Amino acid sequence: MPDHSLTESALARLEEIRAAAEASADKPAALGPDVDITRFSTVSEQDKIDSLKSLEKQTREAVLLSGFDTSEENRSASFFQLDRTPIYRAVEAAFDDAIEIMGTEEALALYGEELLEKYWWRAVDPGKDKYTALVALHQTEGYFIRVKAGRKVDQPIQACLLISESNVSQNVHNVIIVEDGAEAHVITGCNINAGVKEGLHAGISEFYVGKNAKLTFTMVHNWAEDFSVRPRTGVIVEDDGVYINNYVLLKPVKSIQAFPVAKLVGERSTAVFNSIVYGLKDSIIDLGSETQLIGAGSRSEAVARTVSKDNSVVYSRGRLVGHTNDCKAHLDCRGIVQSATSTQWAIPDLASVGAPGAELSHEAAISPIAAEEIYYLMTRGLPKDQAVSMITRGFVNIDIPGLPEPLRRQIDLAIEETSKEAM
C-alpha cells in the first residue's frame, strides 16, 4: 500500500510494528524447541484458480481430512492459500452481503487506516518472539474474514493454508472480525502436499469478537514428521461475546508449540477451548491456552484430551488469570499414555490478580486406561483392542459441529490405530 494513502499516525504504527519485530528477530520462544528459521526459504507464488475442482485429486482428498470441503457444500465462504498465494476465494450468494473474505495484504490495502488503528497486531505482540517477528517482517499473506454486524452465518466459513514445497517457511497473518451481534463458525485446515517433508509454518491469528457476537473457530492440523509449527493467536472478546476454540491434531509433527491467549475484556464474555491431540512417533507437542478474565461476569472453560504413544512428548498447559471478583473458569486436562517410551506433562496454572472473589479451578489427570474398564467390556464379548478403542473414543469425544464426515471418520480411524498397542 502506498505511503501517501496513510495518515502519519498509521505510518507511525507500521514503523512501531517493524521496530518491535526487528528487536525480536533472534529472540527464542519461551516454550518449545528452538527452530533455526534461517534454514528455510520463502514459499513460492502460485497461479490463481477459478474453481476448487481444478485442484489435483490428491490435494482435494488431503485437505478434506483437515476439514476443508472442496465441493463447498454446506459452506458459506471459502479461502484457499497455496504456499504464499491466495489462489481461490468465494462467498456463496446467500451470504454475499454478510461476509468479507480475502488475503490480508489485500485487506490492508483496502482498509489500511481501520485495520492499523483497531486490529493489525493489536491482539498479538509482533515482538513476542522470533516467530512473530518473522511474520511481521516477511509476511506471506494469510486470510482476512469479516462477518458484518447483526448477521448470523449458519453455514461454516472454511479456509485452507496449504504448503506444496519442502524446506520453506510459510509466514501467515490471519485476521477474523465478528462484528456486534454477528455469529460465525470458521473451519481452518493447515496441510501439506504429499511428499513435503521438512519446513516451518509460522501463523499469526488475531480474532476480534464484538458485543453479543459469537465466533466458533475450529483448527485441524495435518503436518509431517519433520515439520515445525509455531502458531501465535490472540483473541479479544467484548460484552456478551462468545469465543469457542476447537483444535484437532491427529498426525505426527516434528514439533508444535502454541499457547493462544483470549482476553475477556467485556462484561459477561465467554471463552471455551477444546482440544483433541494425539502424540505419535517422535513428535514434540507443547499446547495449551490462556484466558484473561477481565470483564465482570466473564466465564471460561478449557477441555484438553491427549493421547500419547511411541516416543512422543506432549505438554498440555492451561492458564487462567482472574482480574475481577465476578469471574469463573475451569480447566479440565486429561491424558492417556499408551507407550512406555512416551511422556506427558499436564500443567495447570491459576492466578488471581487483585481479585479475591475469582473462582478458578482445575482437574488434571494422566493415566493408562484402567484395566477394570477393559475387563468389563471384554466380559461382554468385545475383543481387547475393540474395548480399548471404545474407551479411548469416549475419552476424546468432544463434539465439534460442522466437520465433514470424512474428517470425522479420520478421527475415529486415528483412535483405532493408536489404541491397538495400548495396555
Side-chain angles (χ1 to χ4, degrees):
M1 181 170 53
D3 287 353
H4 66 261
S5 67
L6 295 176
T7 63
E8 289 187 7
S9 62
L11 292 172
R13 174 61 182 160
L14 284 174
E15 176 58 26
E16 179 185 339
I17 293 168
R18 185 195 61 78
E22 288 183 343
S24 300
D26 299 317
K27 180 181 177 182
L31 303 171
D34 191 45
V35 178
D36 181 4
I37 62 178
T38 64
R39 296 176 55 244
F40 304 111
S41 58
T42 303
V43 285
S44 302
E45 295 277 358
Q46 302 291 343
D47 294 330
K48 295 185 178 181
I49 58 176
D50 296 324
S51 170
L52 292 172
K53 295 179 181 178
S54 64
L55 293 171
E56 294 181 0
K57 181 181 178 182
Q58 188 178 48
T59 298
R60 295 200 304 270
E61 292 174 350
V63 299
L64 190 61
L65 297 179
S66 295
F68 190 92
D69 189 347
T70 56
S71 75
E72 300 183 88
E73 293 183 5
N74 301 314
R75 293 292 189 262
S76 60
S78 299
F79 176 92
F80 197 103
Q81 178 169 329
L82 179 58
D83 297 326
R84 70 172 299 149
T85 306
I87 64 172
Y88 179 84
R89 61 170 173 141
V91 178
E92 296 299 316
F95 303 98
D96 61 2
D97 61 346
I99 300 170
E100 288 183 291
I101 189 166
M102 65 190 77
T104 42
E105 291 181 8
E106 180 181 354
L108 189 58
L110 285 173
Y111 304 116
E113 294 290 336
E114 177 192 10
L115 277 183
L116 288 166
E117 179 182 352
K118 297 181 179 180
Y119 307 114
W120 200 250
W121 291 100
R122 297 294 183 181
V124 177
D125 177 8
K128 180 179 178 64
D129 56 39
K130 66 183 185 180
Y131 308 106
T132 58
L134 178 65
V135 177
L137 297 173
H138 307 287
Q139 180 180 328
T140 56
E141 279 285 3
Y143 54 77
F144 172 87
I145 298 171
R146 190 205 305 259
V147 182
K148 297 180 181 178
R151 303 305 301 269
K152 293 178 170 51
V153 179
D154 57 5
Q155 294 182 0
I157 301 166
Q158 63 178 359
C160 181
L161 301 169
L162 182 71
I163 299 175
S164 70
E165 309 167 292
S166 293
N167 302 310
V168 297
S169 175
Q170 187 184 53
N171 317 320
V172 296
H173 185 185
N174 308 311
V175 177
I176 299 178
I177 303 164
V178 182
E179 295 182 339
D180 294 353
E183 291 186 13
H185 181 189
V186 177
I187 299 177
T188 296
C190 291
N191 213 322
I192 56 175
N193 268 345
V196 174
K197 301 297 183 184
E198 189 175 6
L200 171 68
H201 173 86
I204 307 303
S205 296
E206 302 187 82
F207 304 150
Y208 300 90
V209 182
K211 295 178 180 178
N212 198 35
K214 181 179 180 180
L215 170 61
T216 301
F217 179 78
T218 298
M219 167 66 77
V220 183
H221 273 172
N222 205 348
W223 300 109
E225 294 176 41
D226 292 321
F227 224 86
S228 299
V229 187
R230 294 296 182 272
R232 300 290 182 260
T233 300
V235 186
I236 297 177
V237 187
E238 299 185 26
D239 293 355
D240 299 295
V242 176
Y243 174 72
I244 300 173
N245 185 98
N246 302 310
Y247 179 78
V248 179
L249 176 65
L250 301 175
K251 295 292 185 68
V253 64
K254 182 175 183 180
S255 72
I256 180 170
Q257 188 272 312
F259 196 63
V261 178
K263 293 184 178 179
L264 302 182
V265 299
E267 296 182 358
R268 300 170 302 279
S269 52
T270 300
V272 177
F273 289 90
N274 301 311
S275 62
I276 300 173
V277 174
Y278 278 82
L280 302 171
K281 298 189 177 181
D282 296 317
S283 300
I284 300 176
I285 300 169
D286 194 324
L287 299 171
S289 65
E290 174 179 333
T291 304
Q292 297 278 341
L293 297 108
I294 300 167
S298 54
R299 299 290 184 265
S300 180
E301 180 182 19
V303 178
R305 297 291 181 264
T306 60
V307 179
S308 64
K309 65 176 298 186
D310 304 323
N311 300 313
S312 62
V313 178
V314 180
Y315 296 85
S316 184
R317 305 177 187 271
R319 178 179 296 161
L320 303 173
V321 183
H323 295 271
T324 174
N325 288 325
D326 184 11
C327 70
K328 189 172 184 178
H330 181 69
L331 296 173
D332 182 354
C333 174
R334 303 185 193 186
I336 289 179
V337 180
Q338 295 187 340
S339 166
T341 55
S342 69
T343 303
Q344 281 201 44
W345 298 76
I347 308 173
D349 182 3
L350 312 180
S352 173
V353 181
E359 296 182 43
L360 310 176
S361 59
H362 75 82
E363 181 178 0
I366 298 174
S367 67
I369 297 175
E372 58 268 24
E373 294 181 15
I374 299 174
Y375 177 74
Y376 176 83
L377 292 175
M378 289 177 66
T379 60
R380 279 149 180 78
L382 281 180
K384 181 179 178 180
D385 58 347
Q386 290 185 23
V388 171
S389 176
M390 181 178 292
I391 295 167
T392 308
R393 183 180 292 106
F395 173 76
V396 298
N397 184 23
I398 300 175
D399 182 43
I400 300 177
L403 294 187
E405 189 56 34
L407 178 57
R408 292 189 184 277
R409 290 196 298 268
Q410 178 71 6
I411 293 173
D412 286 342
L413 179 61
I415 294 171
E416 296 282 356
E417 292 177 345
T418 56
S419 298
K420 287 178 182 178
E421 298 178 12
M423 299 295 292

Coordinates of all heavy atoms in Angstrom, one line a residue, residues 299-355:
R299 N -16.5 -15.7 31.9 CA -16.5 -17.1 32.1 C -15.6 -17.8 31.1 O -15.5 -17.4 30.0 CB -17.9 -17.8 32.0 CG -19.0 -17.2 33.0 CD -18.6 -17.6 34.4 NE -19.7 -17.2 35.4 CZ -19.6 -16.1 36.1 NH1 -18.5 -15.3 36.0 NH2 -20.5 -15.8 37.0
S300 N -15.0 -18.9 31.6 CA -14.1 -19.7 30.7 C -14.0 -21.1 31.0 O -14.1 -21.5 32.2 CB -12.7 -19.1 30.7 OG -11.8 -19.8 29.8
E301 N -13.9 -22.0 30.0 CA -13.6 -23.4 30.2 C -12.6 -23.9 29.2 O -12.7 -23.5 28.0 CB -15.0 -24.2 30.1 CG -14.8 -25.7 30.3 CD -16.1 -26.4 30.1 OE1 -17.0 -25.9 29.4 OE2 -16.2 -27.6 30.5
A302 N -11.7 -24.7 29.6 CA -10.7 -25.3 28.7 C -10.7 -26.8 29.0 O -10.5 -27.3 30.1 CB -9.3 -24.8 29.0
V303 N -11.0 -27.6 27.9 CA -11.0 -29.1 28.0 C -10.0 -29.6 27.0 O -10.1 -29.4 25.8 CB -12.4 -29.6 27.6 CG1 -12.4 -31.1 27.7 CG2 -13.5 -29.0 28.6
A304 N -9.0 -30.4 27.5 CA -8.0 -31.0 26.7 C -8.0 -32.5 26.9 O -8.0 -33.0 28.0 CB -6.6 -30.4 27.1
R305 N -8.0 -33.2 25.8 CA -7.9 -34.7 25.8 C -6.6 -35.1 25.0 O -6.6 -34.8 23.8 CB -9.1 -35.3 25.2 CG -10.4 -35.0 26.0 CD -10.3 -35.7 27.4 NE -11.5 -35.5 28.2 CZ -11.6 -34.6 29.1 NH1 -10.6 -33.8 29.4 NH2 -12.7 -34.4 29.8
T306 N -5.7 -35.7 25.6 CA -4.4 -36.0 24.9 C -4.2 -37.5 25.0 O -4.4 -38.1 26.1 CB -3.2 -35.3 25.5 OG1 -3.1 -35.6 26.9 CG2 -3.4 -33.8 25.3
V307 N -3.7 -38.1 23.9 CA -3.3 -39.5 23.9 C -1.9 -39.5 23.3 O -1.6 -38.9 22.3 CB -4.2 -40.3 23.0 CG1 -3.8 -41.8 23.0 CG2 -5.7 -40.2 23.5
S308 N -1.0 -40.2 24.0 CA 0.4 -40.3 23.6 C 0.9 -41.7 23.4 O 0.5 -42.6 24.2 CB 1.4 -39.6 24.5 OG 1.4 -40.2 25.8
K309 N 1.7 -42.0 22.4 CA 2.3 -43.3 22.2 C 3.6 -43.1 21.5 O 4.1 -42.0 21.3 CB 1.4 -44.2 21.4 CG 1.1 -43.7 19.9 CD 0.3 -44.7 19.1 CE 1.0 -46.1 19.0 NZ 0.2 -47.0 18.1
D310 N 4.3 -44.2 21.2 CA 5.6 -44.2 20.5 C 6.6 -43.4 21.4 O 6.6 -43.7 22.6 CB 5.5 -43.6 19.1 CG 4.5 -44.3 18.2 OD1 4.4 -45.5 18.3 OD2 3.8 -43.6 17.4
N311 N 7.4 -42.5 20.9 CA 8.3 -41.7 21.6 C 7.9 -40.3 21.8 O 8.8 -39.4 22.1 CB 9.7 -41.8 20.9 CG 10.3 -43.2 20.8 OD1 10.2 -43.9 21.8 ND2 10.7 -43.5 19.6
S312 N 6.6 -40.0 21.6 CA 6.2 -38.6 21.7 C 6.3 -38.0 23.0 O 6.2 -38.7 24.1 CB 4.7 -38.6 21.2 OG 3.9 -39.3 22.0
V313 N 6.4 -36.7 23.0 CA 6.4 -35.9 24.3 C 5.3 -34.9 24.1 O 5.3 -34.1 23.1 CB 7.8 -35.2 24.5 CG1 7.7 -34.3 25.7 CG2 8.9 -36.2 24.6
V314 N 4.4 -34.8 25.1 CA 3.2 -34.0 25.0 C 3.1 -33.1 26.3 O 3.1 -33.7 27.4 CB 1.9 -34.8 24.8 CG1 0.7 -33.8 24.7 CG2 2.0 -35.6 23.6
Y315 N 3.1 -31.8 26.1 CA 2.8 -30.9 27.2 C 1.4 -30.3 27.0 O 1.1 -29.8 25.9 CB 3.8 -29.7 27.2 CG 5.2 -30.1 27.4 CD1 6.1 -30.5 26.4 CD2 5.8 -30.0 28.7 CE1 7.4 -30.8 26.6 CE2 7.1 -30.3 28.9 CZ 7.9 -30.7 27.8 OH 9.2 -31.1 28.1
S316 N 0.6 -30.4 28.0 CA -0.8 -29.8 28.0 C -0.9 -28.8 29.0 O -0.9 -29.1 30.2 CB -1.8 -30.9 28.2 OG -3.1 -30.4 28.0
R317 N -0.9 -27.5 28.6 CA -0.9 -26.4 29.5 C -2.2 -25.7 29.6 O -2.9 -25.7 28.6 CB 0.2 -25.4 29.1 CG 1.6 -26.0 29.0 CD 2.6 -24.9 28.5 NE 3.9 -25.5 28.1 CZ 4.9 -25.7 29.0 NH1 4.7 -25.3 30.2 NH2 6.0 -26.2 28.6
G318 N -2.5 -25.1 30.7 CA -3.7 -24.3 30.8 C -3.5 -23.2 31.8 O -3.0 -23.5 33.0
R319 N -3.8 -22.0 31.5 CA -3.6 -20.9 32.4 C -4.9 -20.1 32.5 O -5.5 -19.7 31.4 CB -2.5 -20.0 31.9 CG -2.3 -18.7 32.8 CD -1.1 -17.9 32.3 NE 0.1 -18.7 32.4 CZ 1.3 -18.4 31.7 NH1 1.3 -17.4 30.9 NH2 2.3 -19.1 31.9
L320 N -5.3 -19.8 33.7 CA -6.5 -18.9 33.9 C -6.1 -17.8 34.8 O -5.4 -18.0 35.9 CB -7.6 -19.7 34.6 CG -8.2 -20.9 33.9 CD1 -9.1 -21.7 34.8 CD2 -8.8 -20.6 32.6
V321 N -6.4 -16.6 34.4 CA -6.0 -15.4 35.2 C -7.2 -14.5 35.5 O -7.8 -14.0 34.5 CB -4.9 -14.6 34.5 CG1 -4.4 -13.4 35.4 CG2 -3.7 -15.4 34.1
G322 N -7.6 -14.5 36.7 CA -8.8 -13.7 37.1 C -8.4 -12.3 37.5 O -7.5 -12.1 38.4
H323 N -9.0 -11.3 36.9 CA -8.7 -9.9 37.2 C -9.9 -9.2 37.8 O -9.9 -8.0 38.1 CB -8.3 -9.1 35.9 CG -7.1 -9.6 35.3 ND1 -5.8 -9.1 35.6 CD2 -6.8 -10.5 34.3 CE1 -4.9 -9.6 34.9 NE2 -5.5 -10.5 34.1
T324 N -11.0 -9.9 38.0 CA -12.3 -9.4 38.5 C -12.8 -10.3 39.5 O -12.7 -11.6 39.4 CB -13.3 -9.1 37.4 OG1 -14.5 -8.6 38.0 CG2 -13.6 -10.3 36.6
N325 N -13.5 -9.8 40.6 CA -14.1 -10.7 41.5 C -15.2 -11.5 40.9 O -15.5 -12.7 41.4 CB -14.7 -9.9 42.7 CG -13.6 -9.3 43.6 OD1 -12.5 -9.9 43.8 ND2 -13.8 -8.1 44.1
D326 N -15.9 -11.0 39.9 CA -17.0 -11.7 39.3 C -16.5 -12.4 38.1 O -16.8 -12.0 36.9 CB -18.1 -10.7 39.0 CG -19.4 -11.4 38.4 OD1 -19.5 -12.6 38.5 OD2 -20.3 -10.7 37.9
C327 N -15.8 -13.5 38.3 CA -15.4 -14.3 37.1 C -15.3 -15.8 37.6 O -15.1 -16.1 38.8 CB -14.1 -13.9 36.5 SG -12.6 -14.2 37.5
K328 N -15.5 -16.7 36.6 CA -15.5 -18.1 37.0 C -14.8 -18.9 35.8 O -15.2 -18.7 34.6 CB -16.9 -18.6 37.3 CG -16.9 -20.0 37.8 CD -18.3 -20.4 38.2 CE -18.4 -21.8 38.9 NZ -19.8 -22.1 39.3
A329 N -13.9 -19.8 36.1 CA -13.3 -20.6 35.0 C -12.8 -21.9 35.5 O -12.5 -22.1 36.7 CB -12.1 -19.7 34.4
H330 N -12.7 -22.9 34.6 CA -12.3 -24.2 34.9 C -11.4 -24.8 33.8 O -11.7 -24.6 32.7 CB -13.5 -25.1 35.2 CG -13.2 -26.5 35.6 ND1 -12.6 -26.8 36.8 CD2 -13.3 -27.7 34.9 CE1 -12.5 -28.1 36.9 NE2 -12.8 -28.7 35.7
L331 N -10.4 -25.5 34.3 CA -9.5 -26.3 33.4 C -9.8 -27.8 33.6 O -9.9 -28.3 34.7 CB -8.0 -26.1 33.6 CG -7.5 -24.7 33.4 CD1 -6.0 -24.6 34.0 CD2 -7.5 -24.3 32.0
D332 N -9.9 -28.5 32.5 CA -10.1 -30.0 32.5 C -9.1 -30.6 31.6 O -9.3 -30.6 30.4 CB -11.5 -30.4 32.2 CG -11.8 -31.8 32.3 OD1 -10.9 -32.6 32.5 OD2 -13.0 -32.2 32.1
C333 N -8.0 -31.1 32.1 CA -6.9 -31.6 31.3 C -6.7 -33.1 31.6 O -6.3 -33.4 32.8 CB -5.6 -30.8 31.5 SG -4.2 -31.4 30.7
R334 N -6.9 -34.0 30.7 CA -6.7 -35.4 30.9 C -5.9 -36.1 29.8 O -6.1 -35.8 28.6 CB -8.1 -36.1 31.1 CG -8.9 -35.5 32.2 CD -10.2 -36.2 32.4 NE -11.2 -35.5 33.2 CZ -12.3 -35.9 33.6 NH1 -12.7 -37.2 33.3 NH2 -13.1 -35.2 34.3
G335 N -5.1 -37.0 30.2 CA -4.2 -37.7 29.2 C -4.2 -39.2 29.4 O -4.3 -39.6 30.5
I336 N -4.1 -39.9 28.3 CA -3.9 -41.3 28.3 C -2.6 -41.6 27.7 O -2.2 -41.2 26.6 CB -5.0 -42.1 27.5 CG1 -6.4 -42.0 28.3 CG2 -4.6 -43.5 27.3 CD1 -7.5 -42.7 27.5
V337 N -1.8 -42.4 28.5 CA -0.4 -42.8 28.0 C -0.5 -44.2 27.5 O -0.9 -45.1 28.2 CB 0.6 -42.7 29.1 CG1 2.0 -43.1 28.6 CG2 0.6 -41.3 29.7
Q338 N -0.1 -44.4 26.2 CA -0.2 -45.7 25.6 C 1.1 -46.3 25.2 O 1.2 -47.2 24.4 CB -1.2 -45.7 24.4 CG -2.6 -45.3 24.7 CD -3.5 -45.4 23.5 OE1 -3.1 -45.4 22.4 NE2 -4.8 -45.6 23.8
S339 N 2.2 -45.8 25.8 CA 3.5 -46.3 25.4 C 4.5 -46.0 26.6 O 4.4 -44.9 27.2 CB 4.1 -45.5 24.2 OG 5.5 -45.7 24.0
A340 N 5.3 -47.0 26.9 CA 6.3 -46.8 27.9 C 7.4 -45.8 27.6 O 8.2 -45.4 28.5 CB 6.9 -48.2 28.3
T341 N 7.5 -45.4 26.3 CA 8.5 -44.5 25.9 C 8.0 -43.1 25.6 O 8.7 -42.3 25.1 CB 9.3 -45.1 24.7 OG1 8.3 -45.4 23.6 CG2 10.0 -46.3 25.0
S342 N 6.7 -42.9 25.8 CA 6.2 -41.5 25.6 C 6.1 -40.8 26.9 O 6.1 -41.4 28.0 CB 4.8 -41.6 25.0 OG 3.8 -42.1 25.9
T343 N 6.0 -39.5 26.8 CA 6.0 -38.6 28.0 C 4.9 -37.6 27.9 O 4.7 -37.0 26.9 CB 7.3 -37.9 28.2 OG1 8.4 -38.8 28.2 CG2 7.3 -37.0 29.4
Q344 N 4.1 -37.5 29.0 CA 3.1 -36.4 29.1 C 3.3 -35.6 30.3 O 3.7 -36.0 31.4 CB 1.7 -37.1 29.1 CG 1.2 -37.5 27.8 CD -0.4 -37.7 27.8 OE1 -1.1 -36.8 28.3 NE2 -0.9 -38.8 27.2
W345 N 3.0 -34.3 30.1 CA 3.0 -33.3 31.2 C 1.7 -32.6 31.2 O 1.2 -32.1 30.1 CB 4.1 -32.2 31.0 CG 5.5 -32.8 31.0 CD1 6.1 -33.4 30.0 CD2 6.5 -32.7 32.0 NE1 7.4 -33.7 30.3 CE2 7.7 -33.3 31.6 CE3 6.4 -32.1 33.3 CZ2 8.8 -33.3 32.4 CZ3 7.6 -32.2 34.1 CH2 8.7 -32.8 33.6
A346 N 1.0 -32.5 32.3 CA -0.2 -31.7 32.5 C 0.2 -30.6 33.4 O 0.6 -30.8 34.5 CB -1.3 -32.5 33.0
I347 N 0.0 -29.3 32.9 CA 0.5 -28.2 33.7 C -0.6 -27.1 33.8 O -0.7 -26.2 33.0 CB 1.7 -27.6 33.0 CG1 2.8 -28.6 32.7 CG2 2.3 -26.4 33.8 CD1 3.9 -28.2 31.8
P348 N -1.5 -27.2 34.8 CA -2.4 -26.2 35.1 C -1.8 -25.0 35.8 O -0.9 -25.2 36.6 CB -3.5 -26.9 36.0 CG -2.7 -28.0 36.7 CD -1.6 -28.4 35.8
D349 N -2.3 -23.8 35.6 CA -1.7 -22.6 36.1 C -2.9 -21.6 36.4 O -3.5 -21.2 35.5 CB -0.7 -22.0 35.1 CG 0.0 -20.8 35.5 OD1 -0.3 -20.4 36.7 OD2 0.8 -20.2 34.8
L350 N -3.1 -21.3 37.7 CA -4.2 -20.4 38.0 C -3.7 -19.2 38.8 O -2.8 -19.4 39.6 CB -5.2 -21.2 39.0 CG -5.7 -22.5 38.5 CD1 -6.7 -23.1 39.6 CD2 -6.4 -22.5 37.2
A351 N -4.2 -18.1 38.5 CA -3.8 -16.8 39.2 C -4.9 -15.9 39.4 O -5.8 -15.7 38.5 CB -2.7 -16.1 38.3
S352 N -5.0 -15.3 40.6 CA -5.9 -14.3 40.9 C -5.1 -13.0 41.1 O -4.2 -12.9 41.9 CB -6.7 -14.6 42.2 OG -7.5 -13.5 42.6
V353 N -5.4 -12.0 40.3 CA -4.7 -10.7 40.3 C -5.6 -9.6 40.8 O -6.4 -9.1 40.1 CB -4.2 -10.4 38.9 CG1 -3.4 -9.1 38.9 CG2 -3.3 -11.5 38.3
G354 N -5.4 -9.4 42.1 CA -6.3 -8.3 42.7 C -7.8 -8.7 42.6 O -8.6 -7.8 42.6
A355 N -8.1 -10.0 42.7 CA -9.5 -10.4 42.5 C -9.8 -11.5 43.5 O -9.8 -12.7 43.1 CB -9.8 -10.8 41.1

